[in-house]
């Protein structure tokens, strides 16, 4: 009797494998572009950014969500590496820390040229796809990293940064952070201040942190897929993307424990009757579409914004105020005065 008790489970297993096979076939030509990975933060914490320490070898690195074999198994074709510095650096050394994390990303590309290709645009991503490398881009996590300066923002762009998240877990003078919604932090800007207002029209890149996925410490792959389904329902399949936050979070859903698991998520979407084109969208095409639109916009000749944030909106006493009207002019500063006096004394002695 062919329809005995074991038949249907067997059919289910075969179909599951079939979705997984299809996912892998799709990902051969459309590997995943993930929007957020905190491996650079692990490299700082574990090795103080000393990549040539043998323990930091990215081929054999064992206790992280990310290493080179896992990236390969996960069909990761592009990664926005996060240049992250925590909120306790705000108004202190946030800019320096951010620069160092951008540097360590560049050094990853330098040290593992057969694996990583540092790029800054969609053309570069497509080139890495063709060469079978992981296109490596820089994302900066949290507006505190630019210290409220559009000049710093533009300088980071020149260093390769291609996105800045508005906030991490602290308000900036121009944007409120998520803790405002939980009641932990006080609302200051009611979302974005006038200084912080920017245009929208982008992509929702889903974070895999268990607590965000299920509001509990445990979550599973199926619940992540529920989030993707929800975004598709609300905003369309073209608005769905992935930003796993691997190596930035302590708990991940079962079935998505490290970067090798993306094909399982793609298979789950196929099982939920997402079309191949929609799955390709989630993996890479949606981000490429938005990235290309951003590149179009940034190629327009528009003068860079020059107006600084009002001085009164900045915090911390160690901050200087050069350039703001009312700030002490160069000639009146004590250091300059002392130097001039010393020079005068020197000249007088020589007479
Ligand atoms: C990492 O380890 C592999 C295998 O042992 C070795 O071939 C490679 O040269 C090492 N890479 C670096 C950058 O140390
Ligand atoms: C993309 O970036 C590369 C450098 O990585 C640069 O040579 C190239 O001109 C850029 N392409 C476009 C279309 O901006
Ligand atoms: C995932 O977790 C949810 C909530 O706990 C549960 O209802 C569901 O059965 C789980 N799905 C799988 C495939 O394990």
């Amino acid at each position: 009797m062919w329809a005995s008790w074991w038949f249907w489970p067997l059919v289910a297993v075969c179909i599951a494998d079939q979705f997984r096979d299809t996912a892998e076939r799709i990902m051969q030509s459309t590997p995943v572009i993930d929007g957020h990975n905190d491996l650079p933060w692990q490299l700082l914490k574990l090795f103080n950014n000393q990549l040539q320490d043998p323990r930091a070898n990215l081929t054999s690195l064992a206790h992280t969500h990310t290493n080179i074999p896992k990236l390969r198994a996960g069909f990761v074709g592009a990664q926005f590496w996060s240049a992250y510095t925590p909120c306790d650096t705000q108004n202190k050394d946030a800019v320096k820390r951010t620069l160092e994390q951008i540097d360590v990303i560049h050094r990853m590309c330098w040290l593992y040229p057969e694996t990583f290709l540092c790029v800054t645009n969609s053309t570069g991503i497509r080139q890495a796809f063709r060469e079978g490398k992981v296109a490596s881009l820089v994302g900066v996590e949290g507006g505190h990293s630019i210290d409220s300066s559009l000049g710093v923002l533009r300088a980071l762009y020149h260093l390769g940064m291609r996105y800045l998240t508005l906030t991490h877990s602290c308000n900036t003078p121009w944007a409120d952070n998520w803790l405002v919604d939980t009641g932990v932090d006080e609302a200051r800007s009611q979302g974005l201040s006038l200084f912080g207002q920017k245009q929208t029209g982008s992509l929702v890149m889903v974070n895999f942190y268990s607590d965000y996925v299920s509001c509990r410490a445990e979550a599973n792959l199926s619940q992540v897929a529920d989030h993707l389904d929800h975004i598709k329902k609300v905003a369309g399949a073209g608005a769905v993307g992935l930003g796993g936050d691997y190596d930035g979070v302590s708990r991940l859903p079962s079935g998505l424990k490290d970067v090798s698991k993306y094909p399982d998520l793609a298979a789950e979407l196929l099982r939920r009757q997402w079309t191949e084109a929609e799955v390709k969208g989630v993996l890479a095409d949606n981000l490429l579409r938005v990235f290309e639109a951003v590149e179009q916009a940034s190629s327009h000749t528009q003068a860079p914004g020059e107006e600084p944030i009002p001085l009164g909106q900045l915090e911390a006493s160690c901050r200087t105020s050069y350039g703001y009207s009312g700030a002490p002019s160069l000639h009146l500063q004590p250091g300059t005065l002392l130097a001039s006096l010393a020079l005068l004394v020197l000249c007088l002695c020589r007479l």
Side-chain angles (χ1 to χ4, degrees), residues 31-34 71 74-79 125 128-129 133-136:
V32 62
I33 304 174
D34 181 273
L71 288 166
F75 291 86
V76 178
Q79 183 65 66
I125 293 180
F129 280 10
K133 294 182 181 173
V134 182
S136 294

Side-chain angles (χ1 to χ4, degrees), residues 117-125 127 157 162 295:
L117 182 67
C118 271
V119 303
T120 53
N121 55 36
S122 53
T123 313
I125 293 180
Q127 184 194 337
Y157 179 90
R162 284 299 176 272
E295 285 163 355

Side-chain angles (χ1 to χ4, degrees), residues 57 59 111-112:
N57 190 314
T59 307
L111 204 53
Y112 299 91

Side-chain angles (χ1 to χ4, degrees), residues 150-344:
L150 293 178
V152 172
L153 179 74
R154 284 187 287 265
L156 294 180
Y157 179 90
H158 288 303
L159 293 177
M161 174 190 75
R162 284 299 176 272
Y163 75 68
L164 171 79
T165 66
L166 291 178
T167 62
H168 188 251
S169 301
C170 47
N171 288 342
T172 66
W174 40 275
D176 284 347
N177 84 103
W178 68 285
L179 290 171
V180 167
D181 293 333
T182 68
V184 171
D185 274 4
E186 228 171 281
R188 266 179 21 184
S189 304
Q190 317 299 330
L192 290 176
S193 75
L194 223 50
F195 182 82
Q197 280 179 18
K198 298 184 184 109
Q199 289 191 334
T200 57
S202 195
L203 196 65
V204 185
M205 305 186 78
V206 173
N207 186 299
F208 297 171
Y209 183 39
S210 295
D211 304 51
Y212 294 159
V213 169
S214 66
C215 299
R216 298 171 56 229
E218 290 84 38
N220 58 35
L221 180 150
S222 164
Q223 289 172 307
V224 172
D226 291 346
H227 282 271
L228 302 180
D229 273 341
H230 180 74
I231 298 164
K232 179 180 168 184
K233 204 170 105 194
V234 172
V240 187
L242 305 171
D245 214 353
Y246 282 110
D247 281 309
V249 297
S250 48
R251 285 186 288 270
L252 285 154
S254 64
L256 284 174
K257 290 295 183 197
D258 62 55
V259 299
S260 71
K261 307 298 184 199
Y262 293 103
D264 294 323
L265 186 57
E268 174 65 13
L269 296 183
L270 292 167
R271 197 180 68 75
R272 294 180 182 214
Q273 293 174 337
W274 289 52
T275 66
E276 283 197 21
E278 287 170 343
V279 170
K280 285 181 182 174
V282 173
L283 291 170
D285 291 348
N286 293 342
L287 183 127
L288 286 170
R289 184 197 73 232
V290 172
F291 202 12
E292 278 160 7
V294 169
E295 285 163 355
Q296 286 295 318
S298 75
S299 68
H300 295 165
T301 43
Q302 194 191 355
E306 292 187 332
E307 194 176 334
I309 191 168
L311 183 60
Q313 290 180 23
L314 296 171
E315 282 172 15
S317 55
C318 60
R319 196 182 292 284
T320 55
S321 57
Y322 298 121
Y324 285 96
S325 64
S329 79
L330 188 65
H331 303 291
L332 295 180
Q333 283 160 43
T336 318
L337 261 181
L338 271 177
S340 314
L341 274 177
L343 206 64
L344 190 68

Side-chain angles (χ1 to χ4, degrees), residues 15-36:
I15 291 176
D17 279 349
Q18 177 201 318
F19 289 128
R20 170 74 202 208
D21 289 348
T22 308
E24 288 202 13
R25 176 177 55 73
I26 291 174
M27 294 178 86
Q28 305 275 356
S29 57
T30 310
V32 62
I33 304 174
D34 181 273
H36 197 99

